Amino acid sequence: MKKFKKFYIETTSICNLACSFCPPTQRQAQFIKLEDFRKILDEIKPHTDYIYFHVKGEPLLHPKIDQLLDVSHEKGFKVNITTNGTLLHKAAHKLLGKPALRQINFSLHSFDGHEGSTDREEYITSVLSFVREATAISDLIVSFRLWNLTQDNETNLQRSRNRATLELIEREFGLDFRIEEKVIPGSGIKLAERVYLNQDHEFDWPSLTAPEDDGRGFCHALRNQAGILVDGTVIPCCLDGEGVINLGNVHNIPFSEIIEGERATRLYEGFSQRIAVEELCRKCGYRKRFGGAE
């Protein structure tokens, strides 16, 4: 029985922002239905203990996110949410005190990635206020993400923007140092008990229109992670945002059968030999981060 450390469930394909680093999905806009969510949790229960409300879309948009969290707890899952954090003023009361909620990742780079963003201080203050309240009443883990560094060092504009964001965070946690002087790209630093900040370079979502490489390398797809899109399509990893590597649909075939199917097996065995058998995998830059090591 395959067990996954991370299991991504896309609760909605809809997002309230249009960030430059995140290609808009061409799939139908929809929210996961509560009854479908229940069935999916039953299907994946033997395979994981941790679920992530994430692939595309903004999970805080889901009108029943509080009920999704309640069902997750009922079924024995711990939940991690990745959000841009802009909807906390509407959704915070649906998150606070939920026992299933283990971790929230705030993609703070969304503010500068979205052309229509206006008030940085109000945005960051809102996120920090929620974090202050949530961590005081629960064991919630918080990760702030600034994934907007460029490979040739930052532009002056981006460095200035990040400084403005980091300054607000430094003030909140009473830090006596500049965060960017301590954090190493690709890793994080601890700001307070159960609160972390991670900076990294912006990555490109894999696309069939991207150039193809020699296909060498390794990936954890179907080893420690898998995912299900909002329409039930099973995908091997969280970066297949369009369901290009469609392994099957849980509304038609049991999940346990899908991950033992021919296409899933070929992908898994290929990476065992450090070979990407899927075209999308050969066009995925993220795979190169793992090189040849498992």
Side-chain angles (χ1 to χ4, degrees):
M1 182 70 69
K2 286 182 181 174
K3 294 280 285 189
F4 302 103
K5 293 179 183 176
K6 298 180 179 181
F7 201 103
Y8 297 90
I9 299 179
E10 185 183 64
T11 55
T12 179
S13 56
I14 307 166
C15 190
N16 62 315
L17 301 184
C19 295
S20 58
F21 56 80
C22 186
T25 179
Q26 302 302 310
R27 295 179 286 115
Q28 180 184 350
Q30 63 184 109
F31 295 102
I32 199 167
K33 295 176 181 174
L34 204 56
E35 57 268 31
D36 289 339
F37 183 72
R38 282 182 175 275
K39 291 175 185 174
I40 286 173
L41 293 192
D42 288 337
E43 291 259 337
I44 68 172
K45 183 58 184 171
H47 300 280
T48 192
D49 299 314
Y50 298 96
I51 53 178
Y52 291 68
F53 290 179
H54 185 46
V55 179
K56 287 294 186 73
E58 168 50 55
L60 300 195
L61 267 176
H62 199 294
K64 296 181 178 179
I65 190 169
D66 50 345
Q67 295 178 54
L68 297 180
L69 288 168
D70 288 341
V71 171
S72 300
H73 179 62
E74 172 194 323
K75 300 286 186 182
F77 290 93
K78 287 296 184 181
V79 178
N80 300 265
I81 292 177
T82 297
T83 173
N84 57 48
T86 59
L87 299 174
L88 284 171
H89 61 292
K90 293 182 178 180
H93 69 285
K94 297 181 180 182
L95 306 176
L96 290 168
K98 292 296 184 184
L101 189 54
R102 172 185 174 270
Q103 178 170 333
I104 299 186
N105 305 312
F106 289 102
S107 299
L108 300 184
H109 47 282
S110 301
F111 184 86
D112 291 316
H114 177 69
E115 195 174 316
S117 298
T118 53
D119 192 331
R120 182 187 309 275
E121 185 163 359
E122 181 182 25
Y123 165 61
I124 297 296
T125 299
S126 170
V127 171
L128 293 173
S129 175
F130 171 83
V131 168
R132 195 182 313 125
E133 183 175 0
T135 54
I137 64 171
S138 72
D139 293 328
L140 182 71
I141 300 167
V142 173
S143 175
F144 299 124
R145 294 176 172 178
L146 267 178
W147 290 359
N148 57 8
L149 303 180
T150 55
Q151 296 295 342
D152 54 349
N153 294 319
E154 298 171 84
T155 62
N156 289 332
L157 174 60
Q158 193 55 58
R159 191 180 299 115
S160 170
R161 288 169 166 177
N162 283 351
R163 176 89 296 270
T165 294
L166 294 173
E167 190 173 312
L168 293 166
I169 295 172
E170 290 162 1
R171 191 187 311 159
E172 169 72 16
F173 293 99
L175 304 183
D176 59 0
F177 59 87
R178 285 193 164 206
I179 290 172
E180 62 266 55
E181 294 171 358
K182 295 283 185 82
V183 70
I184 299 170
S187 64
I189 60 170
K190 185 175 181 178
L191 303 177
E193 192 64 33
R194 304 189 315 279
V195 181
Y196 305 87
L197 184 139
N198 180 286
Q199 279 200 282
D200 207 344
H201 297 96
E202 182 179 319
F203 69 88
D204 294 323
W205 284 80
S207 167
L208 292 177
T209 61
E212 190 170 315
D213 63 20
D214 63 5
R216 301 296 301 178
F218 179 78
C219 181
H220 291 284
L222 296 182
R223 268 182 168 73
N224 73 4
Q225 67 166 291
I228 297 178
L229 298 178
V230 68
D231 65 354
T233 298
V234 176
I235 54 175
C237 76
C238 63
L239 292 181
D240 187 3
E242 291 302 289
V244 172
I245 307 175
N246 182 342
L247 300 176
N249 193 295
V250 288
H251 299 317
N252 305 320
I253 308 168
F255 177 77
S256 295
E257 289 184 23
I258 290 174
I259 58 168
E260 297 296 341
E262 182 181 348
R263 190 171 189 180
T265 300
R266 281 178 56 247
L267 184 148
Y268 183 95
E269 292 180 349
F271 280 125
S272 294
Q273 301 169 45
R274 306 301 189 262
I275 298 171
V277 299
E278 290 282 350
E279 180 184 358
L280 187 69
C281 298
R282 294 194 296 271
K283 296 180 174 182
C284 177
Y286 201 81
R287 168 176 50 82
K288 298 171 188 174
R289 296 189 181 192
F290 298 114
E294 183 165 346

